[in-house]
Amino acid sequence: MSRKVVWIGCAVIALSIVLYLAGFAPESREEPEDYGGFRSGITYAMNTVIEQKWYGESADTVYTGMETKIREIESALSLHLSQSEIAAINENAGVQPVEVSQRTFDLLQRAKELSEQSDGAFDITIAPVVELWGITSDHPHVPTDEELAQAMALMGLEDLVLDEEACTAYLTRPGMAIDLGGIAKGWTADQLREYARELGAERGYVSLGGNLMIIGERPDGDPFKFGLRDPQGDASTYLGTVTLEDGCTMATTGGYERYFEQDGQTYWHIMDPFTGHPADSGLISVTIVGDEGVVCDGLSTALFVMGLEKAADLWAQSGDFEAVFVTASGEVYITEGLRDRFALTEQYADTPVSVIKR
């Protein structure tokens, strides 16, 4: 690798982990008896499990507001809702531009920027390939080379035309389609954080299927800590924890999330835009921590595709995120900004952890 890598032994903390479906979980500890108000719950939206936990006098107001905002965003961005703006863009591919909300337009612009930043490792026009594999459907299958070539021929971010003045989006060729699954939840986390603060949120978090948004700290004044799942373990096994400060977001992409097996081979849902196959970069989990959920979400996917060396180089050239990488051989790499915020769980105390430095 071109970056300087230093091995360290991370400090170990013993903790109990509460299981959630997102690939990480909050540190489990007894809640304080008096925190002036509390509201929590789990719902299903945006094709994933969403958990909220809020403390303080505004807890009920914030919780209800988040529920409403999540549904509003889902109705605009979901690929699977026929009335959504994204569905309208896809249905009108090669036909005509579609007027969209400013919110959707801004997200599409950010998606194109992240594609450029990652040299194409992140590409929302991969939808025809994703649909062909059907990994998240009831009937996944390995496509033929001919099928795959036809689907990949429908990709190309240069053919997603965004007209800022008219606030329209247009896929210029019939059959093209966009899928915001690799970025929408992180972008939603940003929207929710802004709205939660408007509603008077004091402290709490929202977990959106592999994405986290944090406000404030725990009622006892300690920062929130979340466990990162061992991508090679079962759903209740956590490799380490990351301490998150006020305003932080975190996104994890792992091959364990959605996959199927055929003829003894495992195929996960994280697609490589360059090959049309599930990404095979030597990484099996990537966690990104930063101030912007849209960046964390998009880059967790892009860096998973890129592999450790290219991912480390991109991090070194950037200044807006930190990362945890887990390789197929079980090695853990963290960027230097997480040196004091990442810790192994007791079960993984002997796991080597290397720090990537600029």
Side-chain angles (χ1 to χ4, degrees):
M1 293 175 58
S2 57
R3 303 270 66 81
K4 184 177 181 182
V5 179
V6 181
W7 181 87
I8 64 169
C10 278
V12 179
I13 60 174
L15 58 137
S16 300
I17 295 294
V18 179
L19 173 63
Y20 290 98
L21 298 180
F24 43 64
E27 181 183 13
S28 178
R29 62 168 78 178
E30 194 170 325
E31 299 288 0
E33 294 182 3
D34 182 16
Y35 34 67
F38 175 70
R39 180 74 183 275
S40 68
I42 294 176
T43 56
Y44 189 84
M46 302 182 72
N47 203 33
T48 192
V49 173
I50 299 178
E51 184 205 6
Q52 295 189 63
K53 184 174 282 190
W54 298 103
Y55 304 90
E57 294 181 358
S58 63
D60 284 335
T61 300
V62 175
Y63 183 93
T64 302
M66 293 297 97
E67 289 275 296
T68 301
K69 182 65 72 172
I70 288 167
R71 298 299 179 184
E72 176 189 328
I73 293 172
E74 179 183 39
S75 68
L77 301 183
S78 176
L79 174 67
H80 306 287
L81 296 180
S82 59
Q83 73 274 21
S84 75
E85 294 179 341
I86 299 306
I89 294 170
N90 292 343
E91 289 169 4
N92 284 278
V95 178
Q96 62 185 358
V98 174
E99 185 174 353
V100 297
S101 64
Q102 188 64 51
R103 176 172 56 199
T104 298
F105 187 88
D106 292 343
L107 176 55
L108 292 173
Q109 278 194 321
R110 291 305 307 273
K112 295 193 77 167
E113 291 168 2
L114 282 169
S115 178
E116 293 174 1
Q117 183 181 359
S118 64
D119 293 328
F122 178 79
D123 189 340
I124 61 173
T125 65
I126 200 171
V129 174
V130 173
E131 183 178 356
L132 177 64
W133 282 83
I135 293 179
T136 60
S137 72
D138 294 332
H139 303 286
H141 78 288
V142 179
T144 65
D145 291 343
E146 182 179 356
E147 290 174 327
L148 194 57
Q150 292 174 351
M152 291 186 69
L154 294 171
M155 292 174 56
L157 267 175
E158 68 279 2
D159 292 313
L160 170 59
V161 178
L162 302 178
D163 186 327
E164 188 170 6
E165 184 174 347
C167 202
T168 60
Y170 180 41
L171 292 167
T172 63
R173 291 182 286 131
M176 292 188 70
I178 55 178
D179 183 349
L180 295 175
I183 193 173
K185 297 180 186 68
W187 185 85
T188 299
D190 292 333
Q191 303 299 304
L192 295 181
R193 180 177 56 233
E194 180 179 345
Y195 190 51
R197 293 195 187 280
E198 291 177 7
L199 295 174
E202 302 169 44
R203 55 192 68 186
Y205 65 85
V206 180
S207 167
L208 307 97
N211 293 261
L212 274 167
M213 176 274 288
I214 306 297
I215 289 181
E217 66 286 313
R218 291 181 49 82
D220 57 13
D222 287 345
F224 286 105
K225 291 181 180 179
F226 286 83
L228 300 183
R229 178 175 165 182
D230 174 9
Q232 294 178 311
D234 59 37
S236 62
T237 306
Y238 287 83
L239 175 66
T241 62
V242 176
T243 300
L244 298 178
E245 302 170 346
D246 179 34
C248 272
T249 58
M250 181 168 76
T252 295
T253 293
Y256 55 82
E257 294 173 336
R258 297 170 184 172
Y259 62 91
F260 77 100
E261 296 181 357
Q262 182 173 315
D263 299 327
Q265 178 73 35
T266 298
Y267 301 93
W268 50 49
H269 73 292
I270 308 156
M271 291 290 159
D272 185 334
F274 304 113
T275 67
H277 285 265
D280 184 17
S281 68
L283 293 175
I284 55 175
S285 177
V286 175
T287 296
I288 305 295
V289 178
D291 296 331
E292 283 193 272
V294 67
V295 171
C296 294
D297 197 9
L299 287 183
S300 68
T301 300
L303 271 56
F304 190 104
V305 171
M306 294 169 68
L308 183 61
E309 184 170 353
K310 290 182 179 179
D313 286 342
L314 190 150
W315 166 80
Q317 298 165 18
S318 306
D320 55 356
F321 73 93
E322 302 294 338
V324 179
F325 305 104
V326 182
T327 70
S329 57
E331 299 169 299
V332 178
Y333 292 81
I334 63 174
T335 55
E336 59 183 335
L338 294 181
R339 181 191 288 269
D340 298 325
R341 291 195 280 164
F342 175 83
L344 295 169
T345 58
E346 186 173 29
Q347 181 178 351
Y348 291 88
D350 296 330
T351 300
V353 177
S354 301
V355 177
I356 303 172
K357 306 184 73 174
R358 286 184 172 87

